[in-house]
Amino acid sequence: MGNSFLSKHVSGMPASATMATAAIAAEYVKNQVVHYNWGLGEPDGGMQPHLREAGQRAFAEGKTKYTPPNGILPFREAISEFFSGFGLAYKPGAIIVGNGSKGVLFNIFLATLNPGDEVIVPNPRWVSYEPMIIYVGGKMVTVEPGQDFKITPAALEAAITDKTKWFLFNNPSNPSGAVYTLEEQKALGEVFRQHPDVMILTDEMYWSFNYTDQPFVPFAVANPDLYDRVVTTNGLAKSHAMTGLRIGFAGAPNTPDGQGLVDTANKIQGNIAGNPNTVSQWVTIAAIRGDQSFLNAQRELFIDRRDAMVKGLNAAGLPCGTPDGAFYVMPNVAHLIGGRTPSGVTLVDDVAVTQFFAKEAKVIGVPGSAFGLPETIRFAYPVDRDTNIIPGAWALGEAVRKLENV
Ligand code: PLP
């Protein structure tokens, strides 16, 4: 059958670059090589005890059957409460759920994109957006950021065409860690007042990893008059260390289009995935209604790690500013491109520099080009400061010093 066996539809879909880094790490683990895995974006701590108990209780009580595609009502009620905590009014009937926010975003694209429809995405951007968009025949249109990794209203305006369907807004950002202020979100919102046909799809997964002195503000709260045009995606995977539970959700506006989106996403979900994991639904209810005080300690811990990472990278000769959120930094490596390694290899791009660091310093990162920002590397810091960040950064400095011609 050869090539004809596989679908043409997915031939253009790149493999996940972040997953590829996991393979390098697995090799080091297998061979018991001391290494620093700064590739995958996943909190290192486990779930809180009350969440583990909620999962065990669900199993013990036999809550392991199919549910409606959009989950049981108490689950959607809890999600509604989660959103209202931010000042967002999404009724349980306006909630879209999926297997991770990945599943939610994909269902939303499947439900809304026709061939040729454009989705505007600021660079640098999370790796999975483009594969999802192109899979359903859409087109990703990127907007380049300034030095602060943020886009300007003028750049956004210039990207809008009569084919633009969505503006996909990830805040706080993976991979840059940038957090848009309330004023900046309002300024972006202003652009959409001139373009009434464009809808806004947010990805606010890193809501709890906000290190500014201002509370996190969802886009639809910053721009209440655009509420009817915003779909807000969120989840507890990162905040509550529930990445493997695969629950994500979105709130749709209380409009005919919003209801149409919810119904269509449910239809897709019902046919393709059935329902989000039943036990995970119960854990999510416990997570939303239970104690949140650990989030403060988590925030402090991550600020400490971020500061150690930024200091270590700058000392290693990898310049970077201090990001306001998420758990990533993107140092610039342009000055190392063209450098010669001790084995005589010339580093031609950020992919080569990333590979050199993985080999020489045993520090695993993801090339910035995977996120649309070449000549940078994304390092994730949900790892221990003393045993991982500090020695890893030191090893990077040693590796940089071995390069000639830089
Ligand atoms: N959105 C962003 C920006 C992410 O970084 C991730 C995970 O890395 C996700 C969505 C996916 O989250 P989930 O685990 O809920 O699918």
Side-chain angles (χ1 to χ4, degrees), residues 100-102 126 129 170 174 203 205-206 237-238 243 246-247:
S101 67
K102 247 182 193 171
W126 182 45
Y129 295 142
N170 172 216
N174 171 12
D203 175 348
M205 283 296 293
Y206 292 87
K238 312 283 180 183
T243 43
R246 310 310 304 134
I247 295 285

Side-chain angles (χ1 to χ4, degrees), residues 129 161 316 333:
Y129 295 142
T161 72
V333 295

Side-chain angles (χ1 to χ4, degrees), residues 45-380:
M47 287 196 319
Q48 294 292 302
H50 68 286
L51 303 186
R52 277 181 263 154
E53 280 157 27
Q56 282 155 358
R57 207 175 321 119
F59 274 118
E61 292 174 1
K63 290 168 169 160
T64 49
K65 306 275 194 200
Y66 291 136
T67 73
N70 53 355
I72 52 174
L73 182 60
F75 171 61
R76 271 174 285 124
E77 284 171 344
I79 294 167
S80 207
E81 287 162 30
F82 170 86
F83 279 131
S84 65
F86 294 100
L88 285 165
Y90 293 123
K91 295 197 192 93
I95 305 292
I96 299 167
V97 301
N99 297 294
S101 67
K102 247 182 193 171
V104 171
L105 292 168
F106 190 52
N107 286 350
I108 291 173
F109 289 137
L110 267 174
T112 58
L113 292 184
N114 288 307
D117 282 350
E118 294 177 355
V119 181
I120 297 178
V121 185
N123 267 341
R125 59 182 194 266
W126 182 45
V127 291
S128 290
Y129 295 142
E130 185 176 23
M132 290 184 191
I133 294 165
I134 59 178
Y135 179 79
V136 299
K139 185 175 165 211
M140 181 175 77
V141 175
T142 53
V143 181
E144 295 311 315
Q147 287 295 327
D148 57 357
F149 295 110
K150 296 178 189 174
I151 61 162
T152 61
L156 172 61
E157 169 85 50
I160 295 177
T161 72
D162 56 3
K163 295 205 180 80
T164 308
K165 189 130 207 182
W166 290 107
F167 169 56
L168 176 51
F169 185 54
N170 172 216
N171 182 46
S173 160
N174 171 12
S176 72
V179 180
Y180 285 75
T181 65
L182 177 63
E183 294 312 317
E184 287 164 343
Q185 295 202 66
K186 284 184 177 169
L188 292 182
E190 189 56 39
V191 173
F192 298 106
R193 288 174 196 117
Q194 320 306 321
H195 297 278
D197 293 331
V198 179
M199 294 280 287
I200 300 106
L201 176 60
T202 74
D203 175 348
E204 300 176 341
M205 283 296 293
Y206 292 87
W207 61 275
S208 71
F209 295 92
N210 162 32
Y211 314 128
T212 70
D213 53 10
Q214 298 298 313
F216 171 69
V217 184
F219 187 84
V221 173
N223 294 283
D225 59 314
L226 295 176
Y227 176 86
D228 281 356
R229 294 167 54 194
V230 181
V231 174
T232 303
T233 311
N234 218 322
L236 306 178
K238 312 283 180 183
S239 60
H240 289 63
M242 286 166 43
T243 43
L245 271 66
R246 310 310 304 134
I247 295 285
F249 43 79
N254 189 16
T255 60
D257 277 352
Q259 197 52 52
L261 173 60
V262 172
D263 294 344
T264 309
N266 284 344
K267 195 166 65 179
I268 296 168
Q269 172 86 346
N271 280 313
I272 293 176
N275 58 266
N277 181 299
T278 307
V279 171
S280 300
Q281 293 184 43
W282 286 100
V283 179
T284 302
I285 295 170
I288 291 173
R289 300 206 169 133
D291 177 40
Q292 310 294 325
S293 59
F294 71 94
L295 291 175
N296 289 331
Q298 178 168 268
R299 181 174 172 274
E300 294 304 317
L301 175 71
F302 275 75
I303 288 177
D304 193 46
R305 290 169 167 183
R306 173 199 64 178
D307 292 347
M309 184 64 123
V310 168
K311 193 170 158 206
L313 290 178
N314 281 300
L318 302 177
C320 59
T322 304
D324 281 327
F327 32 71
Y328 309 101
V329 280
M330 284 196 105
N332 194 298
V333 295
H335 57 299
L336 304 182
I337 295 170
R340 268 166 63 87
T341 71
S343 52
V345 174
T346 301
L347 301 177
V348 290
D349 55 17
D350 56 303
V351 177
V353 177
T354 309
Q355 283 166 354
F356 169 68
F357 285 151
K359 218 168 134 210
E360 190 68 36
K362 308 284 183 285
V363 174
I364 298 165
V366 184
S369 49
F371 306 94
L373 202 65
E375 307 195 340
T376 62
I377 298 181
R378 188 197 77 171
F379 289 128

Side-chain angles (χ1 to χ4, degrees), residues 10-25:
V10 284
S11 59
M13 184 189 274
S16 166
T18 47
M19 295 293 176
T21 67
I24 305 175

